[in-house]
Every structure is written in structure tokens, then in C-alpha cells.
């Protein structure tokens, strides 16, 4: 393995471990020493790859967290099938993953937003960028559904997108440690009814 690939592999391993620790303990409760201990690396190795703990987190957000949210909550709704079905399947799959996660501490993006809001505007910019990408993609999918005739043309796509994001963050919080499977089932039942209400109204003659 050449030096460049080896460096990238080391950085990726450090970031994956860092994300796991920050998710479990929180950013401010995790020290660089905690990360190094987990990785069996020296301080020199850490600062060779990253300028600071904050720089380390920024790279985790850009390289891992953005990709994680995209693959789980954005990419699945970018297809050409019925938009409402795609959203239902996407949320169902994402929540099912959480149900089977034995170390579930909630939705990592909202955890970070709660931790950094009012404490670190620079980090908040990166986190809000992910939220905005998610929102824009949801709005785009909903607008496509309206154009294709799968969603009633009077539906407020922006309002629905905000509601869906808020409800997803909310249910992920409620699922932590308390009957996740039952909570997911009830949430998905209501979500299906909500999305069904957006279908075009059939005109009776």
C-alpha cells in the first residue's frame, strides 16, 4: 500500500472511531486522549493528520456524517417511483436500523445539533448544511410527486418537508431505550395515514 493510500486508510479509521465515541459520549465529553487510547495511536499521529479536535470533527461531519445521512435519508427518495411510497419505505428502513442497533443513542445529526447549538457556530454551519440538503431534496421529491400526479397539487411541499424532518428527529429521540419497535410501529402507522392524505382527491361524478 503506498503512503497516500495508507494515510487515507488511517484517517478513515480514526474518523470512524471518533464518530463512534462522539456519538456515544458526546463531543465535549470525549478527549483526544480517549480517541488515541481507543486507536492505540500517539498524539503525534493524531496531530499529523488533523490540526485540532475541532478540525477532526469537521472532517468527520464532511466525510462520514454527510454521507451517512445522504445514503440513509436522501438517496432512497431520489427514484422515479411514487414519491410517497419512497418516503414511507425510506423512513421505515431507517427506523428499522435503529430498532436493531443495540447501542442506540438517538439520531446522530440531531444529537450533534443539540450539543453544539449556542456553543460553536462554526460546527453548527456544517450541521445545518446537512439539514438543508435533506430539506431541499425532500422538497424536490415532493414537487416531483406533484408534477407526476402522485401528490395533490395543493400540497405545501416546503411545509411537508419541515414536518417530516421534525417528526423523524422526534421519533428517533423517543425510540432511545423505550420500546423502540412499538414506537416505530405506531409512528409509521400515523405517517402512512398522513402521506395518504396527500394523494390526489378522486373526483366523483
Amino acid at each position: 500500500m503506498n503512503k497516500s493510500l495508507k494515510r487515507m486508510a488511517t484517517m478513515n479509521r480514526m474518523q470512524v472511531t471518533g464518530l463512534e465515541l462522539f456519538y456515544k459520549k458526546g463531543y465535549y465529553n470525549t478527549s483526544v486522549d480517549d480517541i488515541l487510547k481507543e486507536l492505540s495511536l500517539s498524539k503525534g499521529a493524531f496531530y499529523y493528520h488533523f490540526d485540532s479536535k475541532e478540525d477532526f470533527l469537521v472532517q468527520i461531519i464532511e466525510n462520514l456524517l454527510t454521507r451517512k445521512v445522504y445514503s440513509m435519508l436522501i438517496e432512497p427518495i431520489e427514484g422515479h417511483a411514487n414519491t410517497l411510497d419512497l418516503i414511507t419505505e425510506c423512513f421505515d428502513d431507517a427506523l428499522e436500523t435503529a430498532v436493531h442497533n443495540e447501542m442506540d443513542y438517538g439520531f446522530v445529526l440531531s444529537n450533534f445539533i443539540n450539543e453544539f447549538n449556542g456553543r460553536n457556530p462554526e460546527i453548527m454551519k456544517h450541521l445545518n448544511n446537512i439539514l438543508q440538503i435533506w430539506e431541499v431534496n425532500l422538497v424536490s421529491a415532493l414537487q416531483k410527486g406533484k408534477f407526476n400526479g402522485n401528490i395533490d397539487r395543493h400540497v405545501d411541499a416546503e411545509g411537508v418537508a419541515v414536518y417530516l424532518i421534525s417528526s423523524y428527529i422526534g421519533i428517533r429521540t423517543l425510540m432511545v431505550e423505550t420500546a423502540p419497535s412499538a414506537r416505530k410501529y405506531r409512528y409509521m402507522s400515523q405517517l402512512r395515514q398522513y402521506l395518504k392524505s396527500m394523494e390526489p382527491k378522486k373526483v366523483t361524478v
Side-chain angles (χ1 to χ4, degrees), residues 18-185:
L19 180 57
E20 286 172 358
L21 288 173
F22 293 152
Y23 176 56
K24 182 179 178 181
K25 298 170 63 178
Y27 175 82
Y28 291 108
N29 290 329
T30 305
S31 67
V32 171
D33 286 337
D34 292 333
I35 297 160
L36 297 175
K37 185 178 176 184
E38 193 74 22
L39 289 160
S40 301
L41 287 174
S42 67
K43 230 166 207 178
F46 181 87
Y47 289 108
Y48 173 73
H49 293 290
F50 305 100
D51 295 336
S52 62
K53 183 183 168 189
E54 185 172 306
D55 173 52
F56 180 53
L57 178 64
V58 168
Q59 294 204 42
I60 286 172
I61 292 169
E62 292 184 343
N63 297 328
L64 298 183
L65 188 56
T66 302
R67 196 163 63 223
K68 188 179 180 73
V69 172
Y70 181 82
S71 64
M72 188 172 67
L73 294 164
I74 295 173
E75 192 175 26
I77 65 166
E78 290 184 327
H80 298 285
N82 187 316
T83 302
L84 299 177
D85 288 344
L86 289 176
I87 292 171
T88 303
E89 287 168 25
C90 171
F91 276 41
D92 194 32
D93 290 345
L95 294 175
E96 190 61 21
T97 300
V99 167
H100 296 290
N101 183 0
E102 291 179 7
M103 303 295 285
D104 183 26
Y105 299 99
F107 183 36
V108 61
L109 176 59
S110 62
N111 289 1
F112 280 170
I113 288 169
N114 288 334
E115 185 172 12
F116 291 103
N117 190 25
R119 294 178 84 171
N120 192 317
E122 192 55 39
I123 297 294
M124 282 301 295
K125 271 190 222 167
H126 292 278
L127 297 172
N128 279 321
N129 280 343
I130 300 176
L131 269 184
Q132 284 163 10
I133 291 166
W134 186 14
E135 184 178 347
V136 165
N137 277 270
L138 265 175
V139 170
S140 175
L142 291 162
Q143 295 285 24
K144 190 189 292 182
K146 288 167 73 170
F147 180 78
N148 292 339
N150 298 317
I151 297 175
D152 189 274
R153 61 191 179 89
H154 298 295
V155 166
D156 173 11
E158 287 82 2
V160 172
V162 169
Y163 178 79
L164 288 173
I165 290 170
S166 304
S167 70
Y168 182 84
I169 289 172
I171 189 58
R172 282 295 289 109
T173 303
L174 289 175
M175 283 171 66
V176 177
E177 294 186 0
T178 312
S181 186
R183 290 195 175 224
K184 180 217 161 186
Y185 174 79

Side-chain angles (χ1 to χ4, degrees), residues 6-16 49-50 56 59 63:
K6 192 173 180 183
R7 184 168 187 264
M8 284 171 65
T10 302
M11 286 177 72
N12 184 66
R13 186 167 72 93
M14 292 168 76
Q15 288 173 35
V16 168
H49 293 290
F50 305 100
F56 180 53
Q59 294 204 42
N63 297 328

